[in-house]
């Protein structure tokens, strides 16, 4: 059984990139690049400055916001306007629908977050101490987990965008900075564990060890995807009844 359906993927891409939400997908990376170029001109190449910009803006703010837009947008609008019924009526397996939409969400999130993060890192300090590559890698793996989590939210609530913003901006950004224990349950910190290992010694620090970070990233992605599939299956049953 193929888990990827090209037609579902094409429709999902069209839905994500053909709506007004696509404007935000372009604005956030553009803002990061402009900011990075301005910082480089004003302060010169500095490793600590690069870490601050890539950590505080790119990984902590831009990546989760793009994840919210792509993850919830991959299925949420179809559920909200009822068009998901037509999709579910097609001879396509429910796991295939979820997996295809997850692949699209991941692709969009990585393209609009990891790649700009890499370019911004080179603009900031020329990839000194592998900082640009490390944060791009962190953005890529975080994109996978965020896409799965927010895709799941898109199947369970009509307010998925709000719920996603609460998690990304309130839990990770606010509580994560104030309550040390909350960082253990943060996609950002799980991804930083990989960045810490990739970057130069002492250049990047994470509050979670690499084995735990990787385990939690994989676990959250698999669990969210499975739950999204279960939720879609229940929507099918409700429609048939």
């Amino acid at each position: 059984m193929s888990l990827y359906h090209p037609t579902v993927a094409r429709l999902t891409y069209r839905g994500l990139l053909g709506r007004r939400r696509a404007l935000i997908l372009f604005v956030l990376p553009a803002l990061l690049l402009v900011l990075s170029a301005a910082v480089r001109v004003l302060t010169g190449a500095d490793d600590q400055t690069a870490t601050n910009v890539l950590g505080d803006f790119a990984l902590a703010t831009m990546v989760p916001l793009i994840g919210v837009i792509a993850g919830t947008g991959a299925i949420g609008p179809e559920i909200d306007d009822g068009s998901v019924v037509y999709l579910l009526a097609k001879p396509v397996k429910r796991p295939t629908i979820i997996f295809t939409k997850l692949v699209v969400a991941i692709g969009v999130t990585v393209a609009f977050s990891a790649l700009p993060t890499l370019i911004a890192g080179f603009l900031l300090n020329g990839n000194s101490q592998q900082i640009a590559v490390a944060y791009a890698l962190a953005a890529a793996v975080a994109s996978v987990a965020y896409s799965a989590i927010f895709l799941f939210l898109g199947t369970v609530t009509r307010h998925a965008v709000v719920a996603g913003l609460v998690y990304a901006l309130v839990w990770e950004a606010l509580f994560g900075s104030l309550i040390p224990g909350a960082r253990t349950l943060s996609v950002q910190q799980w991804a930083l564990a990989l960045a810490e290992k990739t970057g130069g010694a002492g250049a990047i620090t994470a509050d979670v060890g690499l084995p735990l970070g990787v385990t939690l990233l994989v676990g959250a992605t698999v669990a969210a995807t499975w739950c999204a599939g279960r939720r879609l299956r229940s929507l099918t049953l409700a429609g048939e009844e």
Side-chain angles (χ1 to χ4, degrees):
M1 179 186 68
S2 175
L3 286 177
Y4 183 82
H5 196 283
T7 301
V8 174
R10 185 172 64 254
L11 293 173
T12 305
Y13 274 118
R14 185 182 301 170
L16 283 175
L17 301 178
R19 298 171 184 266
R20 286 181 298 176
R21 70 180 63 212
L23 178 63
I24 304 178
L25 290 174
F26 286 96
V27 167
L28 288 172
L31 181 59
L32 171 65
L33 295 178
V34 169
L35 175 63
S36 299
V39 169
R40 177 63 182 266
V41 169
L42 294 174
T43 66
D46 181 76
D47 292 348
Q48 186 58 52
T49 300
T51 299
N52 291 340
V53 173
L54 297 180
D56 294 341
F57 182 81
L59 188 61
T61 303
M62 183 185 73
V63 178
L65 285 178
I66 291 177
V68 169
I69 296 166
T72 61
I75 197 168
E78 292 174 312
I79 293 177
D80 291 345
D81 62 21
S83 61
V84 71
V85 173
Y86 299 99
L87 177 60
L88 297 178
K90 302 295 182 182
V92 183
K93 300 285 188 181
R94 305 306 175 251
T96 298
I97 294 174
I98 287 297
F99 184 78
T100 300
K101 287 183 173 294
L102 176 61
V103 169
V104 172
I106 290 172
V108 170
T109 308
V110 169
F112 285 93
S113 61
L115 183 58
T117 298
L118 180 64
I119 297 172
F122 275 95
L123 286 173
L124 286 164
N125 74 340
N127 195 37
S128 173
Q129 296 197 72
Q130 289 288 103
I131 289 175
V133 171
Y135 273 104
L137 175 62
V141 296
S143 296
V144 177
Y146 281 131
S147 296
I149 292 169
F150 298 136
L151 178 67
F152 167 63
L153 286 178
T155 66
V156 297
T157 175
R158 291 179 177 272
H159 307 291
V161 173
V162 175
L165 291 175
V166 168
Y167 172 79
L169 300 181
V170 177
W171 175 260
E172 291 211 346
L174 180 59
F175 288 169
S177 63
L178 299 177
I179 306 173
R183 296 170 189 161
T184 306
L185 299 176
S186 165
V187 173
Q188 176 190 346
Q189 290 298 324
W190 305 342
L192 272 175
L194 283 169
E196 182 180 37
K197 186 70 174 179
T198 305
I204 302 170
T205 58
D207 292 315
V208 178
L210 181 60
L212 179 59
V214 171
T215 300
L216 291 173
L217 280 169
V218 173
T221 301
V222 172
T225 304
W226 183 83
C227 290
R230 294 284 296 180
R231 175 59 179 167
L232 194 63
R233 206 169 284 124
S234 70
L235 288 176
T236 305
L237 292 174
E240 291 171 351
E241 292 172 359

